[in-house]
Amino acid sequence: MEIINQDSLVAPGDLNEAPISMTTTEGNLTGSWKFFSPCLQEKVSPCRTACPIQNNIAEYMYFLNQGEKDRALEILRESNPLPAITGRVCPRFCQQECNRLQLDQGVLIGSVERFLGDYGLKIPYPAPEKKRSERVAVVGSGPAGLAAAYFLARAGIQVTVYEKEAEPGGLLRWGIPEYRLPKDVLRQELDNLINSFNIGLECRQDMTSEKIEALSSDYQAVFCAPGLGASILPREFAGYDRVRQGLDLLYDLQQGRIPEGRRFAVIGGGNVAVDAARSLLRYGKEVEIIYRRTYAEMPAYPDEKRHLSEEGIPVQEQSLVTDITPHKGALRLSVSQAVKSEQGIVPGPVGSEQEVDVLVLAVGQTEHLRIEPKERLFVGGDLQLGASSVVEAMATGRQGATAILQQLDPEQEAPELPAPEPAAVNLTYVPRKKPLLLRETALEERVSGFVETDPGFSEDEAQLAAARCLSCGKCTACGLCWFFCPDVSIALETEADPPGVTIDSEHCKGCGLCAFVCPRGVIRMEED
Amino acid sequence: MNFMQNPPAQHTSEMLLGSDAIAYGVKLCRPEVIAAYPITPQTHIIETLSSMVDSGEMPSEYIKVESEMSAIAACFGSVAAGSRSFTATSSHGLALMHEMLHWFAASRFPLVMVNANRALGAPWNIWTDQSDSLAQRDTGWLQIYCETAQEALDTILLSYWLTERIMLPVMVMIDGFILSHTMEQLFVPEQDLADRFLPAYQAPYHLDTENPLSFGAAATPDNFYNLRKALAKTMKNVPKEIEEGAERFSRLFHRRYANLEGYRLEGAEVVIVSSGALTGTVRIAVDRLRDAGKKVGLVKLRLFRPFPREELLEMVQGVPDVLAFSRAVSYGAGGTLAQELRASLYHLESRPRIFDVIISLGGKEVFPETVIDVVQGMGGLSPVNSNWF
């Protein structure tokens, strides 16, 4: 025992006074206590899973956020040879699955893609690593054909594309109005792609089934994506000069052939119907849409429908045209209320009459060529899928190219696409950000010409949009696990390429905090 | 101190809320981390600090937490990492921190915490009362009770100097509302002056990933006993350390604070011992009683832990009667202050009679007349086993 009094001076701050170990604790391998271990495993982001061509969005956004625009473009081009186009016309399946929708506002992926795509318009693609002797023909230069040509050419194959029209692009060129896809962007994108890979282009080649058969003996393989060139024309509408097919009309408008007449009615609810109606409005026509179901049920893309309404084009919902009669150089339409019955949608008892100068039918397309896939002959695009989106058509092009490459070289393993394992994100520690507003061209300017409805993002805006992306499923070395680890068992490797973390398994006690807090779902606890 | 006089050199004169005075004091000390949870009547302090951090005026890390337990735990972490830190609380908030208060002191971690004295329920009461802090007297923290906002501001500076010297945490008390929510004309030191008094904190030990050590890991009973003995030794030495701090402080700031302050003690037959803002009221009552010919004096108890026993002995030696004014009760025993005084003075051969007066609880108003009534009614009181409510 010792008597404590005021004279018992103890040096303040003496280590002996504080309950601190005298030696390092590093030798105490606490890692032996654990029965669960954190494992780093990058996952596939839900946006990528939703994308028909599986664009590696998390990755290119990450590099864009690091200020590496060229690397971002390179990653985007891995899966998408037409980003300036899809950035404009894709219905953006990706954005609907964005994890950030649960937090504040989803990432405007399409707008960032468009920015990157426009940036890449003048940047040639790198030459393929090796040249191959095989030659492959592609029929049709729409999105499916171009995608197939790209993936084949990138593998070193010599590709020749056969196109019916005078210029390449297919539906992209004559089916999509300029206010959605300017011809100048289309030309630059296609020129860059075709020139970079020296893809052969044979235009004005009206292919028949026989000619395609013949190609398959000249080439090692043929990828055939001629689209759906014929329109569905119900019998009751056949034989009238003033009844036009939607796609034909769009084609004529692209060629500068504007139909006469003032009053137009468009039957249909899909993208062709909306494109036709909005285009006619821009030529000063009075136009309305007649659709057999409700406005909400119209299958056109939501943005297109919104623009249609904004531009003041009326939609006569749940209406059926039952009869047409020529009347003084115009058409008199008998319109009935559409009623749902067991036989489908049928005309109801209530009816009215109205007069139009031209009736446009946009009720679907069908094939103009019958082609059965066989050895060395592959089919893709709308001919395979039915009318579908640009990006879905591109996906068939990639699949076709992959199948052809495998047939040419059965030894070669098919490039494996990542398994769609969704990244379980934790948004708790992600700071909310102010939502971004999409600018749109003023209504007046829009309807008086073919200026783009969506003016796109400036570089600054695109960077802001990209900065909202978490890069789900990818370790960005954000440091949250490092911050939370109670055992100082995580080291941040910010300078590594790619940056990441390393786990000191000798001291990690397996508490699982890192796996729990990881905003990107990259760490998983596995039983030892 | 005459507050109408001009401020001393390197001070500005400002009208400030007591809470803001403390915030300014904290800012002058440049803490690296502030972690706190709002509770009336302390909230103004951390509100002002958080705006200072938000505006960039104060380059500290402000950690928003979900409870007082987290606030003190966050400070525990930041101090363990070697940072000067600050927190403030009151009443139930302090009670919630109780477990960590033991850990803080026994870990020998320096911290300054302001507690705005407030009652604990039931029933709900937000007014001043010392039950909250006096209930924490055995946790190993220093406890300092301030009479004025100026004293509170200055005590923050003194406390950081002290806590980093003795490696024990300091709790600085102000009376809820009476000090926190009223304005005073204050002398605010300039930063340069504060920097000269208080150098940057150099932690003698801190968490270091390059040299990992265990902090507070299990110890043998003998080790534990020795560590606590060391803590007790340091506590014994604190009054001397404070003396040195007060001397340094007075040289720079031209004002001085003692652990105990005597007022009109000459020939006193009755001495009132009081703490906190109550002292101001007692001062006036003492003046009036003296004017009426009563030999009454006052001892202001500024330092409560460690209890300044030696200094107290000097002041009350030969005084027949001492009135201990408590704002807290240990139910079944008596007013906390009376217990402390009795324990400190019992060994004297000739010791004063000690009267236990529970002068106020839950903010019950104390006027000079209240104090005068108590002194005049003393004749009917027994100092034995009685507490006067």
Side-chain angles (χ1 to χ4, degrees), chain A residues 357-492:
Chain A
D357 295 322
V358 178
L359 179 65
V360 182
L361 276 174
V363 295
Q365 297 126 252
T366 184
E367 66 227 36
H368 62 294
L369 282 175
R370 249 177 227 289
I371 296 153
E372 290 303 321
K374 52 181 147 179
E375 210 197 334
R376 301 170 75 177
L377 181 58
F378 299 80
V379 171
D382 282 358
L383 187 60
Q384 179 192 349
L385 297 174
S388 59
S389 64
V390 167
V391 71
E392 287 166 303
M394 288 169 71
T396 67
R398 182 175 193 172
Q399 287 152 11
T402 308
I404 289 168
L405 288 171
Q406 240 189 333
Q407 195 174 81
L408 294 177
D409 193 354
E411 300 296 302
Q412 184 104 10
E413 275 183 39
E416 226 171 278
L417 287 173
E421 184 180 359
V425 296
N426 180 349
L427 300 173
T428 314
Y429 300 98
V430 178
R432 281 179 170 70
K433 289 192 175 189
K434 211 172 134 195
L436 288 179
L437 289 178
L438 271 179
R439 279 183 291 113
E440 277 177 356
T441 307
L443 196 59
E444 244 172 71
E445 197 185 345
R446 246 156 74 177
V447 296
S448 60
F450 279 80
V451 61
E452 273 192 279
T453 308
D454 176 355
F457 271 171
S458 67
E459 176 148 10
D460 287 350
E461 287 169 320
Q463 285 292 354
L464 276 177
R468 301 177 64 85
C469 178
L470 297 176
S471 292
C472 301
K474 177 183 170 60
C475 177
T476 62
C478 73
L480 209 60
C481 55
W482 166 83
F483 181 82
F484 274 95
C485 175
D487 288 313
V488 202
S489 294
I490 291 181
L492 268 184

Side-chain angles (χ1 to χ4, degrees), chain A residues 1-26 488, chain B residues 106-108 165-167 204-205 209 211-217 225 227 229-230 232-234 236-237 240 310:
Chain A
M1 301 298 278
E2 178 191 355
I3 296 161
I4 298 173
N5 57 44
Q6 275 159 303
D7 301 316
S8 312
L9 262 171
V10 174
D14 185 342
L15 255 175
N16 291 319
E17 282 187 57
I20 298 172
S21 64
M22 306 300 281
T23 58
T24 176
T25 51
E26 219 164 10
V488 202
Chain B
S107 296
R108 307 305 301 268
R165 200 172 159 84
I166 59 174
M167 298 305 275
Y205 39 79
T209 52
N211 178 30
L213 298 173
S214 82
F215 282 57
Y225 185 83
L227 284 165
K229 190 165 87 176
K233 275 186 182 178
T234 309
K236 269 280 183 198
N237 205 37
K240 277 190 175 175
E310 311 296 331

Side-chain angles (χ1 to χ4, degrees), chain B residues 208-271:
Chain B
D208 180 3
T209 52
E210 297 302 312
N211 178 30
L213 298 173
S214 82
F215 282 57
T220 62
D222 282 355
N223 267 337
F224 187 93
Y225 185 83
N226 286 331
L227 284 165
R228 292 303 167 91
K229 190 165 87 176
L231 196 160
K233 275 186 182 178
T234 309
M235 268 295 192
K236 269 280 183 198
N237 205 37
V238 163
K240 277 190 175 175
E241 297 287 341
I242 294 183
E243 189 59 30
E244 194 184 330
E247 176 58 31
R248 284 197 64 219
F249 188 84
S250 71
R251 281 202 301 268
L252 286 166
F253 298 87
H254 310 291
R255 50 191 178 273
R256 186 171 187 133
Y257 299 97
N259 296 330
L260 284 173
E261 190 194 312
Y263 181 70
R264 303 193 79 165
L265 290 178
E266 58 288 352
E269 288 165 359
V270 175
V271 165

Side-chain angles (χ1 to χ4, degrees), chain B residues 347-365:
Chain B
H347 64 287
L348 295 180
E349 275 189 22
S350 152
R351 51 186 173 256
R353 298 195 299 166
I354 292 168
F355 293 82
D356 181 3
V357 182
I358 315 300
I359 192 78
S360 166
L361 291 172
K364 184 179 180 298
E365 202 67 74

Side-chain angles (χ1 to χ4, degrees), chain A residues 218-281:
Chain A
D218 294 347
Y219 291 87
Q220 269 79 13
V222 179
F223 178 77
C224 197
L228 300 175
S231 296
I232 294 169
L233 179 63
R235 200 176 305 132
E236 59 268 35
F237 298 113
Y240 298 98
D241 288 348
R242 289 174 171 272
V243 174
R244 300 292 314 272
Q245 297 288 353
L247 275 176
D248 293 349
L249 178 79
L250 284 174
Y251 180 84
D252 276 0
L253 293 177
Q254 301 285 346
Q255 309 291 328
R257 292 193 291 270
I258 318 302
E260 285 178 12
R262 181 171 55 84
R263 297 162 301 171
F264 283 68
V266 181
I267 298 179
N271 286 319
V272 173
V274 174
D275 284 345
R278 292 181 66 199
S279 296
L280 287 166
L281 180 77

Side-chain angles (χ1 to χ4, degrees), chain B residues 147-217:
Chain B
E147 183 187 350
T148 65
Q150 181 74 53
E151 190 182 330
L153 187 159
D154 294 341
T155 301
I156 301 293
L157 285 148
L158 278 160
S159 298
Y160 273 109
W161 182 86
L162 190 61
T163 188
E164 290 163 10
R165 200 172 159 84
I166 59 174
M167 298 305 275
L168 281 175
V170 181
M171 204 183 287
V172 178
M173 260 59 69
I174 55 164
D175 294 72
F177 292 104
I178 295 173
L179 284 195
S180 63
H181 285 56
T182 53
M183 291 186 109
E184 274 180 41
Q185 188 195 1
L186 290 168
F187 297 151
V188 181
E190 286 175 6
Q191 185 65 53
D192 172 57
L193 198 57
D195 289 346
R196 276 159 65 199
F197 176 70
L198 184 68
Y201 174 47
Q202 301 286 338
Y205 39 79
H206 61 89
L207 292 174
D208 180 3
T209 52
E210 297 302 312
N211 178 30
L213 298 173
S214 82
F215 282 57

Side-chain angles (χ1 to χ4, degrees), chain A residues 14-270:
Chain A
D14 185 342
L15 255 175
N16 291 319
E17 282 187 57
I20 298 172
S21 64
M22 306 300 281
T23 58
T24 176
T25 51
E26 219 164 10
N28 185 3
L29 300 182
T30 49
S32 64
W33 306 1
K34 68 175 177 289
F35 43 91
F36 278 93
S37 293
C39 299
L40 291 162
Q41 195 188 55
E42 298 210 332
K43 309 242 170 50
V44 181
S45 60
C47 51
R48 186 178 191 183
T49 309
C51 174
I53 52 174
Q54 301 209 303
N55 284 338
N56 198 345
I57 297 158
E59 191 85 3
Y60 77 66
M61 290 282 190
Y62 171 80
F63 284 107
L64 199 53
N65 285 327
Q66 300 299 308
E68 295 188 46
K69 216 160 37 168
D70 291 293
R71 194 153 170 195
L73 178 67
E74 193 185 310
I75 293 159
L76 177 55
R77 281 175 168 179
E78 281 290 311
S79 53
N80 185 355
L82 306 170
I85 294 170
T86 50
R88 286 175 166 80
V89 303
C90 182
R92 304 173 180 190
F93 302 104
C94 50
Q95 289 184 195
Q96 292 161 34
E97 300 302 325
C98 179
N99 280 323
R100 193 149 192 141
L101 285 170
Q102 302 159 37
L103 186 70
D104 38 27
Q105 178 199 36
V107 180
L108 298 169
I109 302 166
S111 306
V112 178
E113 180 183 79
R114 169 172 165 175
F115 165 76
L116 266 183
D118 285 355
Y119 170 69
L121 286 174
K122 290 191 170 65
I123 300 176
Y125 286 77
E129 278 171 25
K130 52 173 183 180
K131 292 261 182 211
R132 296 175 60 149
S133 55
E134 294 99 328
R135 296 163 65 244
V136 172
V138 170
V139 177
S141 65
L146 289 171
Y150 166 69
F151 287 104
L152 290 164
R154 205 174 64 167
I157 305 279
Q158 296 177 42
V159 183
T160 307
V161 177
Y162 291 84
E163 168 56 46
K164 184 167 113 183
E165 300 297 329
E167 287 174 290
L171 205 90
L172 298 171
R173 184 173 296 279
W174 56 267
I176 300 180
E178 267 212 275
Y179 59 81
R180 286 175 62 198
L181 176 58
K183 291 289 164 285
D184 188 44
V185 173
L186 176 71
R187 184 184 49 74
Q188 288 186 60
E189 181 97 302
L190 267 48
D191 282 357
N192 190 22
L193 178 66
I194 289 164
N195 296 338
S196 292
F197 291 104
N198 213 4
I199 293 168
L201 182 62
E202 301 288 336
C203 288
R204 297 194 172 87
Q205 301 291 321
D206 200 359
M207 305 304 281
T208 59
S209 306
E210 295 73 37
K211 284 184 184 169
I212 292 168
E213 285 278 331
L215 281 181
S216 61
S217 52
D218 294 347
Y219 291 87
Q220 269 79 13
V222 179
F223 178 77
C224 197
L228 300 175
S231 296
I232 294 169
L233 179 63
R235 200 176 305 132
E236 59 268 35
F237 298 113
Y240 298 98
D241 288 348
R242 289 174 171 272
V243 174
R244 300 292 314 272
Q245 297 288 353
L247 275 176
D248 293 349
L249 178 79
L250 284 174
Y251 180 84
D252 276 0
L253 293 177
Q254 301 285 346
Q255 309 291 328
R257 292 193 291 270
I258 318 302
E260 285 178 12
R262 181 171 55 84
R263 297 162 301 171
F264 283 68
V266 181
I267 298 179

